[in-house]
Amino acid sequence: MRTFLLLSSSSFALFVGIILISSRLPSPMPEQAVEGKLVWQKHNCISCHTLFGNGGYVGEDLTVITRKETPSQIVDYLMKPPVVPPNKYTHHPGLAKSDAQNLVHYLEFISTIPTLGWPPQQEKAGKES
């Protein structure tokens, strides 16, 4: 019983120590990315889009969108949004230029996080020999 209590209390002390040390580390997220996250939350983008597989499935997974499109293309899309398929009249919500740029900074930050291959790539169907 003494061994169990000794191991439990030392594990708990180590856990608390790690939490205290990590809470003092500077935030690695740049300020513009923080502003972009606030835009993401304000416009409830997660209701349609996913990040790291979490969120809505109506829109595209945006985890690595900045690797596929240039920042200027994304900003243009967000400022002058097209009609959202399959609708004929409903447009993607438009953003102000500063909000669009901050959101792109957030998405660029997101794309730097290691995802171990997320999102999965679709395999093309082919004949097996």
Side-chain angles (χ1 to χ4, degrees), residues 21-101:
I21 290 170
S22 66
S23 68
R24 293 183 184 148
L25 295 175
S27 175
M29 186 181 280
E31 186 60 35
Q32 285 183 309
V34 172
E35 293 297 321
K37 182 178 181 184
L38 294 174
V39 172
W40 176 269
Q41 292 170 337
K42 175 183 172 188
H43 292 282
N44 196 23
C45 301
I46 199 79
S47 66
C48 297
H49 296 282
T50 59
L51 289 177
F52 306 112
N54 296 310
Y57 294 103
V58 175
E60 185 176 355
D61 187 308
L62 300 180
T63 306
V64 292
I65 190 69
T66 57
R67 295 181 194 168
K68 299 175 188 175
E69 306 290 337
T70 65
S72 61
Q73 289 173 323
I74 299 171
V75 168
D76 288 342
Y77 178 89
L78 293 170
M79 289 176 54
K80 303 172 202 144
V83 173
V84 179
N87 301 320
K88 294 183 180 182
Y89 304 107
T90 305
H91 286 267
H92 188 276
L95 298 176
K97 186 172 185 172
S98 62
D99 284 350
Q101 289 171 334

Side-chain angles (χ1 to χ4, degrees), residues 95-111:
L95 298 176
K97 186 172 185 172
S98 62
D99 284 350
Q101 289 171 334
N102 287 335
L103 185 55
V104 169
H105 286 290
Y106 176 60
L107 294 173
E108 286 176 331
F109 175 77
I110 291 295
S111 71

Side-chain angles (χ1 to χ4, degrees), residues 8-22:
S8 298
S9 60
S10 61
S11 296
F12 182 72
L14 180 65
F15 173 74
V16 169
I18 290 172
I19 295 297
L20 291 175
I21 290 170
S22 66

